[in-house]
Amino acid sequence: MSTAGLRAAPPALLLVYAAMLVLGAVACAGTAAAGIDRPGTALGFALLVAVGQATRRENAEEREPAPLASAAALGYGLLATVAGAPARHGVLQVMAVAVTGALAGSLPLLVLGRDPGPERLARRLLTLAFVALLCRPLYAVGTAHGYEVGRGPLFVGWIVLVVLLAVLCDAALATLLEHARTRWPYGGLLREELRARCGIGSAVCVAGAVAALAVGVAGVWVLPLIAVPMFLAQFSFGRYAAVRGVYRQTIAALARSTEIAGHTPPGHAARVAALSRAMGREFGLSERRLTVLEYAALMHDIGQLSLVDPVPGGATSGLPPAQQRRIAVLGAEVARQAGVPAEVALVVERQADPCHRQPLGARIVRAANAYDELAAAEPRAPGDGDGPAGCPQALERLRRGAGADYESAVVECLARVVSRGGLSGPRTG
Protein backbone atom coordinates (compact mmCIF):
# COMPACT_ATOMS: atom_id res chain seq x y z
CA MET A 1 0.00 0.00 0.00
CA SER A 2 1.29 3.46 -0.90
CA THR A 3 1.89 6.27 1.59
CA ALA A 4 -1.18 8.12 0.30
CA GLY A 5 -3.23 4.95 0.71
CA LEU A 6 -2.08 4.59 4.31
CA ARG A 7 -3.05 8.19 5.07
CA ALA A 8 -6.52 7.57 3.64
CA ALA A 9 -6.95 4.22 5.42
CA PRO A 10 -9.43 4.07 8.33
CA PRO A 11 -7.91 3.89 11.85
CA ALA A 12 -9.18 0.33 12.30
CA LEU A 13 -7.13 -0.85 9.31
CA LEU A 14 -4.02 0.96 10.55
CA LEU A 15 -4.50 -0.70 13.94
CA VAL A 16 -4.72 -4.13 12.28
CA TYR A 17 -1.55 -3.42 10.28
CA ALA A 18 0.26 -2.31 13.45
CA ALA A 19 -0.85 -5.46 15.26
CA MET A 20 0.39 -7.57 12.33
CA LEU A 21 3.81 -5.90 12.33
CA VAL A 22 4.27 -6.13 16.11
CA LEU A 23 3.04 -9.70 16.28
CA GLY A 24 5.18 -10.79 13.35
CA ALA A 25 8.32 -9.15 14.74
CA VAL A 26 7.82 -10.61 18.22
CA ALA A 27 7.10 -14.07 16.81
CA CYS A 28 10.19 -14.14 14.59
CA ALA A 29 12.47 -12.76 17.32
CA GLY A 30 11.08 -15.13 19.96
CA THR A 31 11.37 -18.18 17.71
CA ALA A 32 14.93 -17.29 16.72
CA ALA A 33 15.88 -16.96 20.38
CA ALA A 34 14.18 -20.16 21.55
CA GLY A 35 15.04 -22.33 18.56
CA ILE A 36 12.79 -24.12 16.10
CA ASP A 37 10.98 -27.31 17.05
CA ARG A 38 10.95 -29.83 14.16
CA PRO A 39 12.61 -27.57 11.55
CA GLY A 40 11.63 -29.88 8.66
CA THR A 41 7.93 -29.65 9.49
CA ALA A 42 8.14 -25.89 9.96
CA LEU A 43 9.92 -25.53 6.62
CA GLY A 44 7.32 -27.67 4.85
CA PHE A 45 4.41 -25.55 6.07
CA ALA A 46 6.32 -22.31 5.42
CA LEU A 47 6.98 -23.39 1.81
CA LEU A 48 3.30 -24.22 1.35
CA VAL A 49 2.31 -20.80 2.70
CA ALA A 50 4.85 -19.14 0.38
CA VAL A 51 3.63 -21.00 -2.70
CA GLY A 52 0.03 -20.19 -1.85
CA GLN A 53 0.83 -16.51 -1.35
CA ALA A 54 2.87 -16.31 -4.56
CA THR A 55 0.00 -17.78 -6.57
CA ARG A 56 -2.76 -15.64 -5.03
CA ARG A 57 -5.46 -14.53 -7.44
CA GLU A 58 -5.53 -10.98 -8.76
CA ASN A 59 -9.27 -10.44 -8.34
CA ALA A 60 -9.52 -7.89 -5.54
CA GLU A 61 -13.18 -8.72 -4.88
CA GLU A 62 -12.38 -12.25 -3.76
CA ARG A 63 -12.63 -12.77 -0.02
CA GLU A 64 -10.03 -15.55 -0.10
CA PRO A 65 -7.53 -14.80 -2.90
CA ALA A 66 -4.85 -17.16 -1.46
CA PRO A 67 -6.68 -20.28 -0.25
CA LEU A 68 -3.62 -22.52 -0.23
CA ALA A 69 -1.64 -20.11 1.99
CA SER A 70 -4.56 -19.76 4.40
CA ALA A 71 -5.13 -23.53 4.59
CA ALA A 72 -1.43 -24.21 5.22
CA ALA A 73 -1.19 -21.59 7.99
CA LEU A 74 -4.37 -22.90 9.61
CA GLY A 75 -3.11 -26.48 9.41
CA TYR A 76 0.14 -25.60 11.17
CA GLY A 77 -1.78 -23.88 13.95
CA LEU A 78 -4.01 -26.95 14.42
CA LEU A 79 -1.15 -29.48 14.24
CA ALA A 80 -0.98 -31.65 17.36
CA THR A 81 1.33 -34.49 16.27
CA VAL A 82 3.78 -35.25 13.48
CA ALA A 83 3.80 -38.90 12.40
CA GLY A 84 2.43 -39.83 15.82
CA ALA A 85 4.96 -37.84 17.87
CA PRO A 86 3.83 -34.71 19.77
CA ALA A 87 4.34 -31.38 17.99
CA ARG A 88 5.75 -29.13 20.69
CA HIS A 89 6.02 -25.84 18.81
CA GLY A 90 4.29 -22.93 20.48
CA VAL A 91 2.27 -19.91 19.47
CA LEU A 92 5.29 -17.82 18.48
CA GLN A 93 6.62 -20.51 16.14
CA VAL A 94 3.23 -20.84 14.46
CA MET A 95 3.20 -17.09 13.83
CA ALA A 96 6.84 -17.04 12.71
CA VAL A 97 6.25 -19.81 10.13
CA ALA A 98 3.20 -18.01 8.75
CA VAL A 99 4.97 -14.64 8.60
CA THR A 100 8.11 -16.09 6.98
CA GLY A 101 6.10 -17.98 4.38
CA ALA A 102 3.90 -14.97 3.60
CA LEU A 103 6.90 -12.66 3.19
CA ALA A 104 8.71 -15.16 0.96
CA GLY A 105 5.59 -15.55 -1.19
CA SER A 106 5.02 -11.80 -1.39
CA LEU A 107 8.49 -11.01 -2.77
CA PRO A 108 7.78 -12.36 -6.30
CA LEU A 109 4.50 -10.44 -6.32
CA LEU A 110 6.26 -7.18 -5.40
CA VAL A 111 8.93 -7.75 -8.05
CA LEU A 112 6.22 -8.29 -10.68
CA GLY A 113 4.33 -5.22 -9.50
CA ARG A 114 1.35 -7.19 -8.18
CA ASP A 115 -0.53 -6.50 -4.96
CA PRO A 116 0.37 -8.94 -2.15
CA GLY A 117 -2.88 -8.09 -0.33
CA PRO A 118 -1.63 -6.63 2.97
CA GLU A 119 -5.11 -6.41 4.47
CA ARG A 120 -5.80 -10.10 3.87
CA LEU A 121 -2.32 -10.95 5.21
CA ALA A 122 -3.00 -9.02 8.40
CA ARG A 123 -6.36 -10.70 8.91
CA ARG A 124 -4.86 -14.13 8.27
CA LEU A 125 -2.11 -13.54 10.82
CA LEU A 126 -4.48 -12.27 13.50
CA THR A 127 -6.92 -15.15 12.93
CA LEU A 128 -4.03 -17.60 13.09
CA ALA A 129 -2.91 -16.05 16.37
CA PHE A 130 -6.39 -16.70 17.74
CA VAL A 131 -6.25 -20.35 16.59
CA ALA A 132 -2.76 -20.84 18.01
CA LEU A 133 -3.75 -19.38 21.36
CA LEU A 134 -6.64 -21.84 21.53
CA CYS A 135 -4.61 -24.89 20.51
CA ARG A 136 -0.92 -24.66 21.43
CA PRO A 137 -1.23 -24.19 25.24
CA LEU A 138 -3.85 -26.93 25.43
CA TYR A 139 -1.67 -29.36 23.46
CA ALA A 140 1.33 -28.55 25.68
CA VAL A 141 -0.64 -29.15 28.88
CA GLY A 142 -2.09 -32.40 27.57
CA THR A 143 1.28 -33.73 26.48
CA ALA A 144 2.91 -32.73 29.78
CA HIS A 145 0.29 -34.67 31.74
CA GLY A 146 0.56 -37.76 29.58
CA TYR A 147 -2.68 -37.37 27.62
CA GLU A 148 -2.84 -38.71 24.08
CA VAL A 149 -3.33 -35.46 22.18
CA GLY A 150 -4.18 -35.59 18.47
CA ARG A 151 -6.21 -38.82 18.35
CA GLY A 152 -9.80 -39.97 18.64
CA PRO A 153 -13.23 -38.50 17.90
CA LEU A 154 -12.96 -35.91 20.67
CA PHE A 155 -9.91 -34.41 19.01
CA VAL A 156 -11.69 -34.26 15.64
CA GLY A 157 -14.61 -32.54 17.34
CA TRP A 158 -12.18 -30.08 18.92
CA ILE A 159 -10.66 -29.34 15.51
CA VAL A 160 -14.12 -28.67 14.06
CA LEU A 161 -14.94 -26.32 16.95
CA VAL A 162 -11.69 -24.38 16.56
CA VAL A 163 -12.22 -24.07 12.79
CA LEU A 164 -15.71 -22.67 13.33
CA LEU A 165 -14.37 -20.16 15.85
CA ALA A 166 -11.63 -19.19 13.38
CA VAL A 167 -14.26 -18.55 10.71
CA LEU A 168 -16.16 -16.30 13.11
CA CYS A 169 -12.98 -14.47 14.07
CA ASP A 170 -11.95 -13.81 10.46
CA ALA A 171 -15.48 -12.77 9.48
CA ALA A 172 -15.67 -10.38 12.44
CA LEU A 173 -12.32 -8.82 11.50
CA ALA A 174 -13.32 -8.44 7.85
CA THR A 175 -16.63 -6.91 8.86
CA LEU A 176 -14.95 -4.49 11.25
CA LEU A 177 -12.63 -3.22 8.51
CA GLU A 178 -15.40 -2.98 5.92
CA HIS A 179 -17.63 -1.15 8.40
CA ALA A 180 -14.82 1.30 9.22
CA ARG A 181 -14.24 1.92 5.51
CA THR A 182 -17.86 2.25 4.33
CA ARG A 183 -19.96 2.84 7.50
CA TRP A 184 -22.42 0.22 6.25
CA PRO A 185 -24.41 -1.56 9.01
CA TYR A 186 -22.23 -4.05 10.89
CA GLY A 187 -24.93 -6.72 11.17
CA GLY A 188 -25.63 -6.87 7.44
CA LEU A 189 -21.94 -6.95 6.60
CA LEU A 190 -21.33 -9.76 9.09
CA ARG A 191 -24.16 -11.84 7.63
CA GLU A 192 -22.72 -11.35 4.16
CA GLU A 193 -19.23 -12.34 5.29
CA LEU A 194 -20.54 -15.50 6.96
CA ARG A 195 -22.61 -16.44 3.92
CA ALA A 196 -19.61 -15.90 1.66
CA ARG A 197 -17.55 -18.39 3.69
CA CYS A 198 -19.83 -21.23 2.64
CA GLY A 199 -17.88 -21.41 -0.64
CA ILE A 200 -14.09 -21.24 -0.87
CA GLY A 201 -13.91 -20.46 2.87
CA SER A 202 -15.32 -23.89 3.70
CA ALA A 203 -12.77 -25.53 1.40
CA VAL A 204 -9.93 -23.66 3.13
CA CYS A 205 -11.09 -24.70 6.59
CA VAL A 206 -11.51 -28.34 5.60
CA ALA A 207 -8.13 -28.39 3.86
CA GLY A 208 -6.41 -26.89 6.91
CA ALA A 209 -8.00 -29.44 9.24
CA VAL A 210 -7.19 -32.33 6.89
CA ALA A 211 -3.59 -31.14 6.60
CA ALA A 212 -3.20 -31.12 10.39
CA LEU A 213 -4.72 -34.58 10.77
CA ALA A 214 -2.82 -36.09 7.82
CA VAL A 215 0.57 -34.75 8.93
CA GLY A 216 -0.21 -36.00 12.41
CA VAL A 217 -0.43 -39.55 11.02
CA ALA A 218 1.87 -39.65 7.97
CA GLY A 219 4.33 -36.83 8.59
CA VAL A 220 5.26 -33.69 6.68
CA TRP A 221 5.76 -35.55 3.38
CA VAL A 222 2.00 -35.73 2.93
CA LEU A 223 1.78 -31.96 2.43
CA PRO A 224 2.34 -31.99 -1.38
CA LEU A 225 -0.55 -34.42 -1.71
CA ILE A 226 -2.77 -32.14 0.38
CA ALA A 227 -1.78 -29.19 -1.80
CA VAL A 228 -3.00 -30.75 -5.07
CA PRO A 229 -6.78 -30.46 -4.45
CA MET A 230 -6.30 -26.93 -3.10
CA PHE A 231 -4.44 -25.92 -6.27
CA LEU A 232 -7.26 -27.38 -8.35
CA ALA A 233 -9.89 -25.59 -6.26
CA GLN A 234 -7.97 -22.31 -6.54
CA PHE A 235 -7.73 -22.72 -10.31
CA SER A 236 -11.45 -23.51 -10.60
CA PHE A 237 -12.49 -20.53 -8.48
CA GLY A 238 -10.15 -18.33 -10.49
CA ARG A 239 -11.76 -19.43 -13.75
CA TYR A 240 -15.21 -18.88 -12.30
CA ALA A 241 -14.26 -15.39 -11.10
CA ALA A 242 -12.88 -14.55 -14.56
CA VAL A 243 -16.07 -15.70 -16.28
CA ARG A 244 -18.16 -13.73 -13.78
CA GLY A 245 -16.06 -10.63 -14.41
CA VAL A 246 -16.46 -10.91 -18.19
CA TYR A 247 -20.20 -11.41 -17.75
CA ARG A 248 -20.51 -8.26 -15.66
CA GLN A 249 -18.45 -6.28 -18.17
CA THR A 250 -20.77 -7.47 -20.93
CA ILE A 251 -23.84 -6.27 -19.02
CA ALA A 252 -22.15 -2.95 -18.22
CA ALA A 253 -21.27 -2.49 -21.92
CA LEU A 254 -24.85 -3.25 -22.90
CA ALA A 255 -26.08 -0.72 -20.33
CA ARG A 256 -23.76 1.94 -21.78
CA SER A 257 -25.42 1.54 -25.17
CA THR A 258 -28.18 3.93 -24.03
CA GLU A 259 -25.52 6.54 -23.22
CA ILE A 260 -23.75 6.03 -26.53
CA ALA A 261 -27.07 6.43 -28.36
CA GLY A 262 -27.73 9.65 -26.45
CA HIS A 263 -30.78 8.34 -24.61
CA THR A 264 -29.33 8.74 -21.09
CA PRO A 265 -26.64 10.97 -19.53
CA PRO A 266 -23.10 9.59 -19.23
CA GLY A 267 -22.55 7.51 -16.11
CA HIS A 268 -26.24 7.37 -15.17
CA ALA A 269 -26.54 3.56 -15.25
CA ALA A 270 -23.34 3.09 -13.25
CA ARG A 271 -24.45 5.59 -10.60
CA VAL A 272 -27.87 3.97 -10.26
CA ALA A 273 -26.20 0.55 -9.99
CA ALA A 274 -23.84 1.79 -7.26
CA LEU A 275 -26.71 3.38 -5.34
CA SER A 276 -28.89 0.29 -5.70
CA ARG A 277 -26.17 -2.08 -4.55
CA ALA A 278 -25.38 0.11 -1.53
CA MET A 279 -29.07 0.29 -0.63
CA GLY A 280 -29.42 -3.48 -1.03
CA ARG A 281 -26.47 -3.95 1.31
CA GLU A 282 -28.19 -1.63 3.79
CA PHE A 283 -31.24 -3.89 3.64
CA GLY A 284 -29.04 -6.93 4.35
CA LEU A 285 -29.48 -8.66 0.98
CA SER A 286 -27.27 -11.64 0.17
CA GLU A 287 -24.43 -11.36 -2.33
CA ARG A 288 -26.46 -13.19 -4.98
CA ARG A 289 -29.40 -10.80 -4.59
CA LEU A 290 -27.02 -7.83 -4.61
CA THR A 291 -25.65 -9.02 -7.93
CA VAL A 292 -29.16 -9.38 -9.36
CA LEU A 293 -29.95 -5.87 -8.11
CA GLU A 294 -26.79 -4.43 -9.64
CA TYR A 295 -27.42 -6.03 -13.04
CA ALA A 296 -31.05 -4.85 -13.06
CA ALA A 297 -29.96 -1.31 -12.16
CA LEU A 298 -27.41 -1.31 -14.97
CA MET A 299 -30.10 -2.36 -17.45
CA HIS A 300 -33.04 -0.37 -16.06
CA ASP A 301 -33.06 2.10 -18.99
CA ILE A 302 -32.25 -0.38 -21.75
CA GLY A 303 -35.85 -0.23 -22.99
CA GLN A 304 -35.27 3.32 -24.25
CA LEU A 305 -33.35 1.84 -27.17
CA SER A 306 -36.69 0.64 -28.56
CA LEU A 307 -38.26 4.12 -28.53
CA VAL A 308 -38.62 6.06 -31.78
CA ASP A 309 -38.28 9.40 -30.00
CA PRO A 310 -35.78 9.51 -27.09
CA VAL A 311 -36.98 10.80 -23.73
CA PRO A 312 -35.61 14.35 -23.24
CA GLY A 313 -32.56 14.10 -21.02
CA GLY A 314 -33.20 10.38 -20.55
CA ALA A 315 -35.23 11.09 -17.39
CA THR A 316 -37.99 8.49 -17.09
CA SER A 317 -39.11 9.17 -13.51
CA GLY A 318 -41.36 12.07 -14.56
CA LEU A 319 -43.03 10.28 -17.47
CA PRO A 320 -46.69 9.17 -17.39
CA PRO A 321 -47.14 5.72 -15.80
CA ALA A 322 -48.16 4.11 -19.10
CA GLN A 323 -44.97 5.27 -20.84
CA GLN A 324 -42.83 4.19 -17.90
CA ARG A 325 -44.49 0.80 -18.05
CA ARG A 326 -43.85 0.47 -21.78
CA ILE A 327 -40.14 1.28 -21.36
CA ALA A 328 -39.87 -1.22 -18.51
CA VAL A 329 -41.52 -4.01 -20.51
CA LEU A 330 -39.30 -3.30 -23.52
CA GLY A 331 -36.24 -3.28 -21.27
CA ALA A 332 -37.19 -6.62 -19.72
CA GLU A 333 -37.58 -8.13 -23.18
CA VAL A 334 -34.13 -6.85 -24.20
CA ALA A 335 -32.70 -8.28 -20.96
CA ARG A 336 -34.25 -11.69 -21.64
CA GLN A 337 -32.93 -11.68 -25.20
CA ALA A 338 -29.46 -10.85 -23.80
CA GLY A 339 -29.60 -14.02 -21.68
CA VAL A 340 -29.45 -12.40 -18.25
CA PRO A 341 -31.03 -14.31 -15.31
CA ALA A 342 -34.82 -14.21 -15.15
CA GLU A 343 -34.65 -12.41 -11.79
CA VAL A 344 -32.84 -9.48 -13.43
CA ALA A 345 -35.43 -9.16 -16.20
CA LEU A 346 -38.20 -9.33 -13.59
CA VAL A 347 -36.78 -6.38 -11.62
CA VAL A 348 -36.38 -4.37 -14.84
CA GLU A 349 -39.97 -5.13 -15.82
CA ARG A 350 -41.55 -4.43 -12.42
CA GLN A 351 -39.80 -1.09 -11.75
CA ALA A 352 -42.76 0.79 -13.28
CA ASP A 353 -45.45 -1.10 -11.32
CA PRO A 354 -47.34 0.62 -8.51
CA CYS A 355 -45.10 0.86 -5.46
CA HIS A 356 -47.11 -1.53 -3.26
CA ARG A 357 -46.94 -4.29 -5.90
CA GLN A 358 -43.20 -4.08 -6.63
CA PRO A 359 -40.62 -6.51 -5.26
CA LEU A 360 -37.93 -4.94 -3.09
CA GLY A 361 -35.37 -4.91 -5.89
CA ALA A 362 -37.67 -2.94 -8.20
CA ARG A 363 -38.48 -0.45 -5.42
CA ILE A 364 -34.78 0.12 -4.83
CA VAL A 365 -33.94 0.62 -8.52
CA ARG A 366 -36.90 2.96 -8.99
CA ALA A 367 -35.87 5.19 -6.09
CA ALA A 368 -32.17 5.18 -7.07
CA ASN A 369 -33.03 6.07 -10.67
CA ALA A 370 -35.34 8.91 -9.64
CA TYR A 371 -32.78 10.28 -7.19
CA ASP A 372 -30.00 10.36 -9.79
CA GLU A 373 -32.24 12.05 -12.35
CA LEU A 374 -33.54 14.63 -9.88
CA ALA A 375 -30.10 15.34 -8.43
CA ALA A 376 -28.57 15.79 -11.88
CA ALA A 377 -31.26 18.35 -12.73
CA GLU A 378 -30.64 20.45 -9.62
CA PRO A 379 -28.35 23.50 -9.99
CA ARG A 380 -25.05 22.99 -8.21
CA ALA A 381 -22.98 25.60 -6.45
CA PRO A 382 -19.27 25.97 -7.31
CA GLY A 383 -17.19 23.46 -5.39
CA ASP A 384 -20.03 20.97 -4.97
CA GLY A 385 -18.38 18.62 -7.45
CA ASP A 386 -19.75 17.06 -10.58
CA GLY A 387 -21.50 14.05 -9.07
CA PRO A 388 -25.09 14.07 -7.81
CA ALA A 389 -24.40 12.44 -4.42
CA GLY A 390 -25.86 14.13 -1.37
CA CYS A 391 -28.52 16.35 -2.98
CA PRO A 392 -31.08 17.35 -0.29
CA GLN A 393 -33.52 18.83 -2.81
CA ALA A 394 -33.78 15.51 -4.64
CA LEU A 395 -34.26 13.60 -1.38
CA GLU A 396 -36.98 15.99 -0.30
CA ARG A 397 -38.87 15.49 -3.57
CA LEU A 398 -38.61 11.72 -3.13
CA ARG A 399 -39.91 12.00 0.43
CA ARG A 400 -42.91 13.96 -0.84
CA GLY A 401 -43.65 11.09 -3.21
CA ALA A 402 -43.17 8.41 -0.55
CA GLY A 403 -46.14 6.15 -0.06
CA ALA A 404 -47.54 6.64 -3.55
CA ASP A 405 -44.55 6.44 -5.90
CA TYR A 406 -41.76 5.32 -3.56
CA GLU A 407 -41.67 3.28 -0.38
CA SER A 408 -40.79 5.37 2.68
CA ALA A 409 -38.31 2.78 4.01
CA VAL A 410 -36.51 2.71 0.66
CA VAL A 411 -36.29 6.52 0.50
CA GLU A 412 -34.86 6.70 4.02
CA CYS A 413 -32.41 3.95 3.17
CA LEU A 414 -31.34 6.00 0.15
CA ALA A 415 -30.90 9.05 2.36
CA ARG A 416 -28.61 7.13 4.72
CA VAL A 417 -26.54 5.80 1.82
CA VAL A 418 -25.95 9.17 0.12
CA SER A 419 -25.27 10.89 3.45
CA ARG A 420 -22.25 8.64 3.93
CA GLY A 421 -20.86 9.23 0.42
CA GLY A 422 -18.48 6.79 -1.31
CA LEU A 423 -21.17 4.38 -2.40
CA SER A 424 -19.27 1.30 -3.44
CA GLY A 425 -15.82 0.10 -4.26
CA PRO A 426 -13.82 -3.04 -4.83
CA ARG A 427 -13.05 -5.25 -1.89
CA THR A 428 -9.37 -5.26 -1.01
CA GLY A 429 -7.12 -7.97 0.34
Side-chain angles (χ1 to χ4, degrees):
M1 179 178 288
S2 63
T3 305
L6 282 174
R7 283 198 297 267
L13 181 57
L14 298 178
L15 184 62
V16 168
Y17 284 161
M20 176 186 68
L21 293 174
V22 171
L23 190 57
V26 170
C28 291
T31 302
I36 301 177
D37 179 72
R38 296 186 177 274
T41 303
L43 178 61
F45 276 97
L47 286 175
L48 204 56
V49 171
V51 171
Q53 177 65 17
T55 57
R56 76 186 298 272
R57 296 192 300 274
E58 287 287 346
N59 191 349
E61 295 184 0
E62 291 295 325
R63 285 177 172 79
E64 185 47 82
L68 182 60
S70 296
L74 177 62
Y76 194 60
L78 296 171
L79 189 65
T81 60
V82 179
R88 302 182 185 277
H89 58 273
V91 175
L92 292 183
Q93 184 168 320
V94 171
M95 308 310 300
V97 166
V99 168
T100 303
L103 291 178
S106 297
L107 286 177
L109 299 179
L110 294 173
V111 170
L112 295 174
R114 293 171 53 192
D115 181 17
E119 180 178 323
R120 177 58 203 165
L121 277 175
R123 279 172 35 208
R124 184 195 307 158
L125 185 61
L126 293 179
T127 302
L128 183 60
F130 173 72
V131 171
L133 286 170
L134 286 177
C135 294
R136 306 322 305 175
L138 185 64
Y139 295 168
V141 170
T143 302
H145 287 78
Y147 293 108
E148 194 176 30
V149 178
R151 298 179 185 274
L154 288 179
F155 179 72
V156 175
W158 164 254
I159 290 289
V160 172
L161 175 62
V162 172
V163 165
L164 290 176
L165 292 175
V167 169
L168 289 175
C169 177
D170 186 60
L173 276 174
T175 303
L176 176 66
L177 296 178
E178 191 75 358
H179 174 72
R181 187 163 38 236
T182 64
R183 312 311 302 175
W184 289 329
Y186 189 91
L189 288 173
L190 182 59
R191 286 193 298 271
E192 181 184 333
E193 289 290 341
L194 291 174
R195 279 194 294 256
R197 277 157 178 75
C198 295
I200 187 69
S202 299
V204 168
C205 293
V206 171
V210 169
L213 295 172
V215 172
V217 174
V220 72
W221 299 107
V222 79
L223 283 179
L225 185 62
I226 297 294
V228 171
M230 283 304 300
F231 265 125
L232 295 177
Q234 181 169 329
F235 177 76
S236 299
F237 272 92
R239 292 291 298 271
Y240 171 73
V243 171
R244 187 176 59 185
V246 171
Y247 185 68
R248 188 193 181 284
Q249 291 172 6
T250 302
I251 290 180
L254 182 61
R256 283 195 297 271
S257 60
T258 58
E259 301 174 12
I260 296 172
H263 291 268
T264 56
H268 171 68
R271 290 193 299 270
V272 173
L275 270 173
S276 299
R277 187 176 179 91
M279 291 166 66
R281 193 184 296 273
E282 188 92 3
F283 276 109
L285 300 185
S286 66
E287 186 65 29
R288 184 188 67 80
R289 294 182 66 189
L290 287 175
T291 301
V292 168
L293 185 61
E294 180 182 9
Y295 289 172
L298 285 170
M299 303 187 73
H300 76 280
D301 270 333
I302 202 71
Q304 293 199 45
L305 293 175
S306 302
L307 298 179
V308 176
D309 298 319
V311 178
T316 58
S317 59
L319 294 176
Q323 194 168 353
Q324 290 187 34
R325 175 67 180 166
R326 179 168 177 264
I327 293 173
V329 170
L330 291 172
E333 184 59 31
V334 172
R336 292 188 182 97
Q337 293 294 329
V340 301
E343 296 167 289
V344 175
L346 179 65
V347 173
V348 174
E349 184 174 16
R350 300 286 299 279
Q351 63 176 316
D353 286 359
C355 177
H356 64 278
R357 286 167 34 194
Q358 291 176 318
L360 178 60
R363 280 176 269 161
I364 289 174
V365 172
R366 181 172 181 165
N369 172 60
Y371 173 79
D372 189 76
E373 291 176 351
L374 292 171
E378 289 291 337
R380 306 189 64 77
D384 284 351
D386 298 327
C391 180
Q393 299 92 332
L395 287 172
E396 184 58 33
R397 291 182 64 179
L398 289 181
R399 286 191 173 104
R400 288 200 297 267
D405 297 323
Y406 311 101
E407 185 183 9
S408 300
V410 172
V411 174
E412 295 309 314
C413 173
L414 171 63
R416 291 193 299 271
V417 167
V418 298
S419 69
R420 289 195 296 264
L423 300 177
S424 182
R427 181 179 300 274
T428 60

